[in-house]
């Protein structure tokens, strides 16, 4: 009989050792068992108590104060039958639980089909979103692509993401992420991104990203329900044509983005890509607050950049600066930032 068998019956290691000796020499007393097994008498006493509770030995009627070995064919069969009954009950409970789960999933899927959302899963709340990302990450096998907006990342978000990113990278999944150039202004975010690159991720930066987005294995895409307010929830898309279009958008940005650590690219008239992006946002009539949020920079920094650009263009207003920049040909390029205009 192997240890696995006795463990299944619920015997501890000490109780198994004592029982094996008793099987060979049923007449041994506690002291002799302790000597034979080189085990403290207290341990032997506890083991005998365990064997008694399990019905493998019992107090002797013929020899008061001593224990009698119950016929193993009876005692072991009885114990095994009890374990089988427990296992059967658990299997039945699991089967019932699985049936309930399938009914709930069918009810949820049916509701989504009726509302025309069969290929969209909606997530509400940060806990639900993070839990779903963890599940998708465990199932991911080839690659992850992500737009990360918002500039400096919160400490809570980075702490929640680190173990999930580690698991994905440890499995050899290719991870590519595009952050805002402004991440260099936040030491904590920059340190986290450097850690990602050390673990094997590829990171590039760009002045503006269209929205927060993650794509897993080119088959699932997670996006915010509302671009300007990620707290509203997220949605997971699985429609192949939509996911393919989002992959193409990412690849276009990736091609033009700057590898982490490289100097920001300059465009016409020695403008940085961040400055060009700000000019496009100004030409669209966006407020200082919106421009700062999209670029992931502080309002003070955005206003300083805007004032500098207006002075270089001799513009009297933010909107005029954007128009003059367009007329000067500064904004006439096919970079992915232009897709946002």
């Amino acid at each position: 009989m192997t240890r696995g068998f006795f463990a299944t019956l619920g015997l501890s290691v000490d109780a198994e050792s004592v029982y094996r000796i008793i099987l060979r020499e049923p007449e041994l007393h506690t002291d002799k068992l302790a000597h034979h097994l080189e085990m403290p008498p207290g341990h032997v006493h506890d083991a005998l108590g365990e064997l008694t509770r399990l019905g493998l030995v019992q107090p002797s009627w013929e020899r008061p104060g001593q224990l009698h070995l119950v016929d193993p064919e009876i005692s072991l069969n009885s114990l095994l039958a009890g374990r089988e009954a427990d296992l059967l009950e658990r299997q039945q409970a699991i089967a019932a639980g699985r049936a309930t789960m399938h009914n709930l999933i069918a009810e949820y899927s049916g509701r989504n089909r009726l509302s025309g959302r069969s290929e969209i899963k909606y997530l509400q709340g940060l806990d639900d979103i993070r839990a779903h990302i963890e599940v998708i990450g465990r199932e991911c096998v080839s690659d992850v692509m992500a737009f990360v907006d918002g500039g400096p990342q919160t400490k809570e978000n980075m702490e929640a993401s680190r173990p999930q990113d580690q698991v994905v990278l440890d499995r050899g999944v290719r991870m590519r992420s595009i952050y805002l150039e402004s991440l260099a202004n936040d030491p904590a975010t920059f340190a986290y991104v450097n850690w990602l690159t050390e673990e094997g991720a590829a990171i590039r930066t760009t002045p503006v990203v269209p929205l927060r987005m993650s794509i897993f294995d080119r088959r699932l895409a997670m996006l915010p329900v509302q671009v300007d307010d990620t707290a509203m929830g997220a949605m997971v898309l699985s429609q192949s044509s939509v996911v393919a279009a989002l992959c193409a958008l990412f690849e276009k940005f990736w091609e033009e983005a700057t590898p982490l650590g490289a100097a920001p690219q300059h465009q016409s008239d020695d403008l940085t890509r961040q400055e060009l992006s700000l000019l496009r946002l100004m030409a669209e009539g966006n407020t200082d607050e919106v421009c700062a949020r999209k670029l992931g920079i502080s309002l003070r920094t955005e206003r300083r950049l805007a004032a500098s650009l207006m002075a270089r263009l001799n513009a009297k207003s933010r909107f005029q600066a954007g128009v003059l920049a367009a007329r000067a040909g500064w904004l006439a390029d096919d970079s992915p930032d232009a897709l946002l205009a």
Side-chain angles (χ1 to χ4, degrees):
M1 288 178 283
T2 65
R3 171 59 194 154
F5 170 75
F6 284 109
T8 300
L9 296 180
L11 266 73
S12 66
V13 174
D14 285 351
E16 176 189 344
S17 299
V18 171
Y19 186 65
R20 285 180 180 273
I21 294 297
I22 294 177
L23 283 174
R24 296 196 298 268
E25 301 181 54
E27 305 301 327
L28 287 179
H29 298 292
T30 300
D31 292 341
K32 291 185 177 180
L33 285 170
H35 176 75
H36 201 81
L37 292 168
E38 298 182 351
M39 184 183 295
H43 288 199
V44 173
H45 183 271
D46 291 342
L48 289 171
E50 185 178 332
L51 294 174
T52 302
R53 288 194 301 273
L54 292 173
L56 296 174
V57 298
Q58 64 183 23
S60 172
W61 292 95
E62 298 176 356
R63 292 166 292 135
Q66 298 185 30
L67 294 173
H68 169 71
L69 175 67
V70 179
D71 186 340
E73 185 175 358
I74 297 173
S75 60
L76 293 177
N77 269 322
S78 176
L79 269 181
L80 196 57
R83 294 297 181 272
E84 288 175 337
D86 291 341
L87 179 60
L88 178 60
E89 184 177 349
R90 291 176 60 190
Q91 288 175 330
Q92 290 172 340
I94 292 172
R98 190 177 299 279
T100 301
M101 178 189 72
H102 287 313
N103 289 336
L104 292 173
I105 292 174
E107 180 181 345
Y108 177 78
S109 300
R111 184 187 66 191
N112 279 345
R113 282 194 295 271
L114 290 174
S115 60
R117 303 183 302 179
S118 57
E119 294 184 279
I120 302 177
K121 180 187 290 290
Y122 288 88
L123 307 174
Q124 293 184 344
L126 190 57
D127 289 339
D128 197 14
I129 293 172
R130 285 179 176 169
H132 208 78
I133 290 176
E134 184 177 355
V135 172
I136 297 177
R138 286 201 303 266
E139 297 174 350
C140 188
V141 296
S142 60
D143 66 321
V144 176
M145 298 178 283
F147 285 134
V148 185
D149 66 354
Q153 304 298 297
T154 66
K155 178 182 177 181
E156 293 75 17
N157 187 51
M158 289 187 286
E159 288 179 349
S161 299
R162 185 182 290 267
Q164 297 173 0
D165 290 338
Q166 185 74 69
V167 168
V168 172
L169 290 167
D170 285 348
R171 293 207 319 273
V173 174
R174 184 189 185 198
M175 180 182 290
R176 292 183 293 162
S177 299
I178 300 177
Y179 282 74
L180 294 177
E181 286 179 357
S182 58
L183 75 85
N185 301 327
D186 183 66
T189 302
F190 195 71
Y192 181 78
V193 171
N194 271 322
W195 171 79
L196 283 174
T197 61
E198 292 170 358
E199 295 299 316
I203 307 294
R204 294 187 180 184
T205 62
T206 189
V208 179
V209 297
L211 76 171
R212 180 175 290 268
M213 177 182 75
S214 297
I215 303 175
F216 303 88
D217 287 343
R218 296 179 179 269
R219 64 180 185 85
L220 292 177
M222 180 177 288
L223 306 98
V225 171
Q226 187 170 317
V227 175
D228 296 335
D229 187 3
T230 56
M232 292 293 292
M235 54 184 172
V236 180
L237 308 176
S238 59
Q239 189 173 25
S240 59
S241 58
V242 175
V243 176
L246 294 173
C247 288
L249 176 65
F250 178 87
E251 295 292 358
K252 181 63 177 175
F253 270 80
W254 182 261
E255 181 182 344
E256 299 293 335
T258 303
L260 183 69
Q265 300 177 25
H266 285 69
Q267 305 290 333
S268 55
D269 291 271
D270 204 37
L271 291 173
T272 66
R273 293 184 61 189
Q274 186 180 64
E275 290 171 330
L276 283 172
S277 297
L278 177 55
L279 281 171
R280 290 193 181 93
L281 293 169
M282 291 166 63
E284 295 170 15
N286 289 292
T287 65
D288 286 329
E289 289 77 10
V290 171
C291 292
R293 178 176 54 76
K294 286 184 176 292
L295 293 172
I297 58 179
S298 68
L299 185 58
R300 180 179 178 180
T301 299
E302 187 276 340
R303 285 174 173 165
R304 177 178 56 78
L305 289 174
S308 175
L309 290 170
M310 288 172 63
R312 292 172 66 177
L313 289 162
N314 195 27
K316 296 180 180 180
S317 69
R318 295 161 46 82
F319 179 73
Q320 185 185 27
V323 172
L324 291 174
R327 288 177 181 174
W330 291 4
L331 306 185
D333 63 60
D334 59 353
S335 70
D337 297 343
L339 298 173
L340 305 179

